[in-house]
Amino acid sequence: MKLLGKVAIVTGGAQGLGRGFAEGLLRKGAKVCICDINSATGLATIGSWNKEFGAGKSMFLKCDVTNHDQFEGVMKKVIKEFGGVDILVNNAGVNGEEPDTWRRTIQINMIGVIEGTMLASTYMDKTAGGRGGLVVNIASTAGLTPIFYAPVYAGSKYGVVGYTRSMAANPSARETGISYAALCPAFTNTQLFNKTHSAQKEIKDEILNQVSKVVTDTGIQTVADVVNGFLLLVEADSNNGTVMAVSKQKGIQYINKRRRKPQTNKL
Ligand SMILES: NC(=O)c1ccc[n+]([C@@H]2O[C@H](COP(=O)([O-])OP(=O)(O)OC[C@H]3O[C@@H](n4cnc5c(N)ncnc54)[C@H](O)[C@@H]3O)[C@@H](O)[C@H]2O)c1
């Protein structure tokens, strides 16, 4: 998709990866709405973008992605202000595994993503007055491989990958003009990663050593590394069903690209 003149919504876009994705889209000439529960950071982010990209290119709307009415309000407001929506990035996510936090992890990471995807399927549908476009669901490499110290988080991200691939596999997705793709970053230097890492200082040494080994082997990438992969995915002509992983260790990988048939040498 060519990004000049397009309109995008990025959930959880006040900081971290979401802010990076939104900034990448702004640089390519798109208009962006970030929605987040953190108004102070969200508004500060828009303040700096107004200086960098000009007023009217971006806006902040307060929204908890687990709240249907708030999320639908964002869709309606963006369509009213920017004329339509071409891209939804379901990025908002948290990591909590404790008795009082794990349900919220599922609510935000899984149910929030389904909520947004369903709203996009309604408001972006070409056959119902929308413009078609792309939904990018932010999963994780924790949605591709088991993570023994974060099973709820991994379960939520496996859910995002399976849900997104299933949406993309629906034959009627073609007539709506909407494509569905999942992006799976590995460890990235953001608040979510650093908070999770410092919380792990509480756990047993032996387990901590194993976690540290996983992190050391995989490496910690920058937000810019992930944004490079994200823009490649979004700008591709054909991206329905794409699952892209991005890690320091292996760079950008397409997880489910069809393998070419082995060449046979015909004499
Ligand atoms: N950082 C990593 O290592 C990493 C790796 C793989 C995947 N991810 C995923 O990337 C996404 C972004 O994570 P990040 O690392 O930038 O985290 P972050 O904590 O820096 O940013 C997350 C943003 O989401 C917002 N948010 C939280 N709950 C929300 C809700 N209910 N509604 C709206 N906004 C909400 C927060 O206020 C925050 O601005 C998440 O889905 C995360 O699971 C991160």
Side-chain angles (χ1 to χ4, degrees):
M1 181 192 291
K2 297 234 178 331
L3 292 173
L4 186 66
K6 295 293 193 305
V7 175
I9 298 173
V10 181
T11 72
Q15 63 177 39
L17 280 165
R19 179 181 171 146
F21 300 144
E23 230 165 64
L25 294 166
L26 282 164
R27 278 187 215 295
K28 295 274 182 177
K31 287 185 177 172
V32 180
C33 168
I34 50 168
C35 57
D36 206 293
I37 47 172
N38 186 341
S39 299
T41 308
L43 290 169
T45 297
I46 297 293
S48 74
W49 287 342
N50 282 344
K51 286 187 199 130
E52 193 175 348
F53 302 105
K57 301 282 184 204
S58 61
M59 70 168 139
F60 171 77
L61 294 173
K62 186 168 185 185
C63 166
D64 181 333
V65 294
T66 66
N67 183 313
H68 170 84
D69 292 347
Q70 285 182 21
F71 210 160
E72 185 166 38
V74 168
M75 276 283 169
K76 287 182 171 169
K77 178 88 176 160
V78 171
I79 291 168
K80 191 166 171 240
E81 298 288 322
F82 286 162
V85 180
D86 304 287
I87 301 163
L88 171 66
V89 186
N90 283 309
N91 163 79
V94 294
N95 186 6
E97 301 281 328
E98 300 306 317
D100 58 340
T101 57
W102 72 264
R103 287 179 181 80
R104 186 94 180 126
T105 302
I106 298 294
Q107 283 285 344
I108 296 170
N109 295 9
M110 181 79 257
I111 297 178
V113 166
I114 296 175
E115 189 71 70
T117 307
M118 283 185 168
L119 285 167
S121 303
T122 302
Y123 284 91
M124 289 165 61
D125 183 348
K126 259 188 182 170
T127 66
R131 308 203 294 212
L134 174 66
V135 177
V136 185
N137 290 333
I138 307 305
S140 166
T141 47
L144 303 170
T145 186
I147 304 293
F148 73 92
Y149 54 86
V152 175
Y153 182 77
S156 72
K157 296 301 189 179
Y158 265 82
V160 171
V161 173
Y163 174 72
T164 308
R165 293 188 68 182
S166 302
M167 287 300 292
N170 185 340
S172 65
R174 205 171 290 174
E175 70 200 43
T176 67
I178 306 172
S179 298
Y180 302 89
L183 180 66
C184 301
F187 303 121
T188 311
N189 189 7
T190 67
Q191 192 169 305
L192 180 143
F193 171 75
N194 292 314
K195 256 188 169 159
T196 309
H197 214 51
S198 54
Q200 278 156 359
K201 297 206 167 90
E202 312 290 316
I203 63 181
K204 279 193 254 154
D205 277 358
E206 178 200 331
I207 294 178
L208 188 59
N209 287 341
Q210 290 180 49
V211 175
S212 298
K213 184 170 173 2
V214 174
V215 176
T216 308
D217 289 350
T218 310
I220 304 165
Q221 63 194 341
T222 63
V223 168
D225 293 328
V226 185
V227 173
N228 285 340
F230 168 79
L231 289 174
L232 208 62
L233 189 164
V234 175
E235 288 187 307
D237 290 332
S238 155
N239 39 27
N240 191 43
T242 296
V243 178
M244 176 192 277
V246 188
S247 68
K248 180 88 177 165
Q249 187 186 33
K250 294 183 178 160
I252 293 169
Q253 291 175 290
Y254 291 91
I255 299 304
N256 58 340
K257 270 260 174 312
R258 274 193 215 120
R259 292 225 177 97
R260 279 195 179 168
K261 280 188 187 158
Q263 299 281 326
T264 47
N265 285 326
K266 284 184 189 154
L267 293 173

